[in-house]
Amino acid sequence: DAPVLTSAKVRDGQLTVAGYVGSAAGQSVFGGAQVELFISDNHASGRGSGKTLLGRLSTDGSGNFAGTLTLTGITLPANARLTGTATDGAGNTSEFGANFSALVADFIVNDNGDADDASPGDGLCQTATPGICTLRAALTELRALATTPTPPTVLFDIPGCTDGTQAACTIRPASNLPFINRPLIIDGSTQPGWSSRPLIGIDGGLNTTGTPEGLRADAGSSGSTFRSLRMAGWGASAGYALHLYSSDNHVVEGCWFGLDASGAGTTASTSRTGIAVRGSSGNRIGGTTAAQRNVISKSNTWGVYLYGGSNNSLQGNYIGTDATGTLAAGNYIGIANYAVSSTIGGPAAGAGNLFAANSSNHLLVDTNLGNVPAASATVQGNTFGLSATQAAITSASPAILVAGVTST
């Protein structure tokens, strides 16, 4: 019998696969079989022929196989189809197995420029310069590809970026980046040299779009993760550094909004809004560990703007301070909640948010912004007007403003 692939993921020249031989997993009769994996063609039968040998694996005693192949001299695009043959101990070789078309390809951003993908839909992140992958090119290519069961990851390996302060660490898009239309993970913690603070910056200072948006998770992108990114300068009067829109169940963790590479809020450019959550539900912003904490500051209107969704959780964040939680950086309003059943803080260790140095209100829960039938939030375990060391910081008055709300 032919091999059946159940998963395949390619990252940086390494192909990790799993599967079995036979009609189902766990058939000992196929134990010890030799499996050869190939790039396949797109034959109408669904069982293509092998075009390029990728490598060999052996099944275990139950006929299952799993392992990682090093692809020497082979470029495997995200839209590639895979197939394979199995050979038993007697030298009998199967026909080619069914094509596997759910390959997950992670893209590695290796340049802080803004060039776009040269050939969207070819399965490769590559600008007109061979071997160069920018963040814009990665997002453009991913928009053009079919969604896979496992979200792909956008990783970073930008030369010359070691501590976040070098120019190479900051990406400066000249216009809005492509809106995200599929689940994915953008993970700044993959940049070599990362330890705990964001190295990769996405700065909107060169963006001339009417409503600048740094990253926008749009319809179709539910379940995406944004990790360890530094975002600032996305429209002082109109714009969003991160916009979660008409999509649900995102995770935002370990990010800095409105801070410079040192973790201070003194030199970074402002945004109108740090994180906007519009028509989006079930999102987790922050968490109970220091690694999950976001720092959200230097927003001219809202640090976090919740509008129209429900069941969003904001925990463990610093809102209005620098990265240490000890110095003022500020927002106009820390969190504005025009949404339903939000969780702001909580009783667990590390769940409380720290609000300080916000000039109007730390927290606004309001139904007066039109078209919001109700607004409600559970607010628990937060700190208002004090630093992480419990020192006083000049802060908003009143700390919490509730307007037009029937339940909180």
Side-chain angles (χ1 to χ4, degrees):
D1 282 24
V4 176
L5 281 162
T6 56
S7 66
K9 184 172 186 174
V10 62
R11 174 188 289 188
D12 197 21
Q14 303 286 310
L15 174 64
T16 301
V17 298
Y20 59 86
V21 175
S23 58
Q27 294 180 290
S28 60
V29 66
F30 300 113
Q34 176 96 343
V35 175
E36 292 190 329
L37 297 175
F38 299 84
I39 298 176
S40 178
D41 61 17
N42 188 27
H43 194 274
S45 68
R47 291 178 176 269
S49 58
K51 295 170 60 178
T52 304
L53 176 65
L54 299 173
R56 299 174 176 86
L57 295 169
S58 296
T59 62
D60 60 19
S62 298
N64 305 318
F65 61 89
T68 299
L69 305 173
T70 298
L71 306 179
T72 302
I74 299 172
T75 299
L76 189 60
N79 56 3
R81 296 170 176 82
L82 307 181
T83 187
T85 61
T87 302
D88 63 19
N92 301 304
T93 300
S94 72
E95 64 180 347
F96 286 104
N99 281 343
F100 180 83
S101 57
L103 174 67
V104 177
D106 292 341
F107 289 157
I108 300 177
V109 174
N110 58 14
D111 187 90
N112 73 334
D114 196 37
D116 210 343
D117 192 70
S119 184
D122 68 354
L124 301 175
C125 177
Q126 185 166 265
T127 69
T129 303
I132 294 299
C133 174
T134 64
L135 180 58
R136 182 179 297 279
L139 296 179
T140 294
E141 185 61 36
L142 287 169
R143 279 184 61 87
L145 297 175
T147 300
T148 52
T150 301
T153 299
V154 176
L155 307 96
F156 296 86
D157 187 2
I158 299 177
C161 173
T162 59
D163 66 8
T165 64
Q166 299 94 346
C169 298
T170 301
I171 298 165
R172 292 181 168 85
S175 60
N176 288 347
L177 290 165
F179 294 169
I180 298 164
N181 66 346
R182 58 177 294 159
L184 54 74
I185 300 166
I186 302 180
D187 191 352
S189 72
T190 57
Q191 174 67 28
W194 180 91
S195 58
S196 60
R197 61 175 52 211
L199 300 183
I200 299 299
I202 305 175
D203 187 276
L206 299 181
N207 191 316
T208 58
T209 307
T211 302
E213 300 189 48
L215 290 170
R216 174 165 161 170
D218 218 12
S221 68
S222 292
S224 293
T225 295
F226 304 90
R227 180 178 298 122
S228 198
L229 301 169
R230 177 171 44 83
M231 306 186 71
W234 289 95
S237 59
Y240 315 103
L242 176 61
H243 191 183
L244 310 182
Y245 180 72
S246 294
S247 53
D248 305 319
N249 302 315
H250 302 294
V251 173
V252 184
E253 59 184 18
C255 295
W256 291 355
F257 296 87
L259 303 185
D260 57 35
S262 71
T266 53
T267 61
S269 300
T270 58
S271 299
R272 182 186 185 216
T273 305
I275 304 174
V277 183
R278 300 174 63 232
S280 179
S281 300
N283 303 293
R284 172 169 67 80
I285 299 173
T288 58
T289 69
Q292 293 171 324
R293 175 189 304 134
N294 301 292
V295 185
I296 306 163
S297 297
K298 291 290 291 290
S299 298
N300 284 349
T301 305
W302 304 285
V304 181
Y305 172 58
L306 304 171
Y307 181 83
S310 64
N311 298 298
N312 293 298
S313 170
L314 292 95
Q315 295 186 323
N317 304 291
Y318 288 171
I319 301 170
T321 71
D322 71 343
T324 68
T326 62
L327 298 176
N331 299 286
Y332 182 66
I333 296 174
I335 295 177
N337 182 78
Y338 305 96
V340 178
S341 299
S342 301
T343 298
I344 300 173
N353 301 285
L354 186 152
F355 295 81
N358 301 297
S359 59
S360 177
N361 308 112
H362 292 312
L363 172 60
L364 170 66
V365 182
D366 192 0
T367 62
N368 292 329
L369 189 67
N371 301 319
V372 182
S376 60
T378 299
V379 181
Q380 188 175 12
N382 302 287
T383 297
F384 295 91
L386 297 177
S387 73
T389 59
Q390 300 301 295
I393 295 181
T394 301
S395 292
S397 179
I400 304 176
L401 176 61
V402 178
V405 178
T406 57
S407 63
T408 58

